[in-house]
Amino acid sequence: MKLTRFILATGILLSICCDNVLAQEPLALVTEAVNGQSYSLSIQILVLMTLLTLLPAAVLSMSAFVRVIIVLSILRQALGTAQTPPNQVLLGIALFLTFFVMAPVISEIQTEAVAPYVEGTLAAPDALKAGILPLHDFMMNQTRDSDLELFAGIAGNTDITSAADVPLSILIPSFMVSELKTAFQIGFLVFIPFLVIDLVVSSVLMSMGMMMLSPMLISLPFKIMLFVLVDGWALLLGTLASSFYT
């Protein structure tokens, strides 16, 4: 009941604020490059909200998130724990580890693009180009040449002579394919020790004639014990973080 009242009160306050803001003169934050025409605040808000909806796709496709979340999901499958850790915990770990890996890139974007643009020493198009360069270098360092050649051949782009010439339209899908391949390679190595435990437990149960007992029920404590004894979380997360190079 309290939550419902809080949501209603927040909605009323937001509607009042929006009415007051929209009643004022339009802000000239977004201008047309041809004749300098300024757009109204409602159009600017619409553009901003549209860009915010694309933010999750940018996080997924241009950062370390894909590799981390896939490896963590394969680890949970290998352990045999269906919902432990829960999805929210895995997403939280993946997001903060992604932030840790991308911290140098974010810092470079802040220094080279955001700060000069806020100070007014760099125009918006130039700031956008300067901000994309660190992300471009990061993705190039993680992308395999074979994947770049694949998508460049599909696009019919034969003018690429250096890493700087690779457009984002080719680099982003190549980066995602490389990340998927790397994530599954790491996941395969993570899965093998737990698979061995499952095979050993299953063979022992079969030899003892206990065919009605689920091998997963017996092997689960041994897999958890093995993972804890080798300090698996620190080892896995540290290996994932060090697998990226910026």
Side-chain angles (χ1 to χ4, degrees), residues 145-160 170 174:
D145 294 337
S146 59
D147 296 325
L148 284 174
E149 294 174 359
L150 171 64
F151 284 95
I154 295 174
N157 192 335
T158 59
D159 299 332
I160 299 175
I170 295 176
S174 303

Side-chain angles (χ1 to χ4, degrees), residues 146-187:
S146 59
D147 296 325
L148 284 174
E149 294 174 359
L150 171 64
F151 284 95
I154 295 174
N157 192 335
T158 59
D159 299 332
I160 299 175
T161 58
S162 62
D165 296 333
V166 179
L168 290 178
S169 59
I170 295 176
L171 178 58
I172 293 177
S174 303
F175 170 74
M176 294 195 68
V177 170
S178 295
E179 286 296 285
L180 289 172
K181 189 181 300 183
T182 303
F184 277 96
Q185 289 175 347
I186 298 174

Side-chain angles (χ1 to χ4, degrees), residues 33-222:
V34 179
N35 54 9
Q37 178 182 355
S38 61
Y39 294 99
S40 64
L41 181 60
S42 58
I43 299 298
Q44 298 177 36
I45 293 176
L46 178 61
V47 172
L48 178 61
M49 296 302 296
T50 303
L51 293 177
L52 287 178
T53 58
L54 298 177
L55 183 60
V59 172
L60 289 176
S61 58
M62 302 175 67
S63 69
F65 182 82
V66 173
R67 183 187 304 186
V68 176
I69 193 62
I70 289 178
V71 173
L72 292 179
S73 300
I74 293 177
L75 170 65
R76 186 173 65 178
Q77 184 71 25
L79 284 172
T81 55
Q83 295 296 330
T84 305
N87 292 330
Q88 292 85 351
V89 175
L90 291 185
L91 288 173
I93 295 173
L95 284 174
F96 280 102
L97 188 61
T98 300
F99 177 77
F100 173 79
V101 172
M102 302 296 294
V105 179
I106 296 174
S107 178
E108 187 175 354
I109 293 174
Q110 169 67 24
T111 304
E112 300 295 332
V114 177
Y117 175 72
V118 172
E119 295 172 357
T121 59
L122 199 63
D126 297 331
L128 182 60
K129 292 180 181 179
I132 289 177
L133 284 178
L135 279 175
H136 189 281
D137 295 339
F138 172 80
M139 290 188 289
M140 280 297 302
N141 289 333
Q142 319 302 324
T143 306
R144 293 176 172 84
D145 294 337
S146 59
D147 296 325
L148 284 174
E149 294 174 359
L150 171 64
F151 284 95
I154 295 174
N157 192 335
T158 59
D159 299 332
I160 299 175
T161 58
S162 62
D165 296 333
V166 179
L168 290 178
S169 59
I170 295 176
L171 178 58
I172 293 177
S174 303
F175 170 74
M176 294 195 68
V177 170
S178 295
E179 286 296 285
L180 289 172
K181 189 181 300 183
T182 303
F184 277 96
Q185 289 175 347
I186 298 174
F188 172 78
L189 297 176
V190 170
F191 210 107
I192 290 299
F194 303 107
L195 180 61
V196 171
I197 294 177
D198 286 332
L199 291 175
V200 171
V201 171
S202 179
S203 300
V204 171
L205 292 178
M206 289 290 290
S207 63
M208 295 175 63
M210 304 175 67
M211 291 177 292
M212 300 300 294
L213 185 61
S214 174
M216 295 294 295
L217 184 64
I218 305 300
S219 63
L220 179 59
F222 291 99

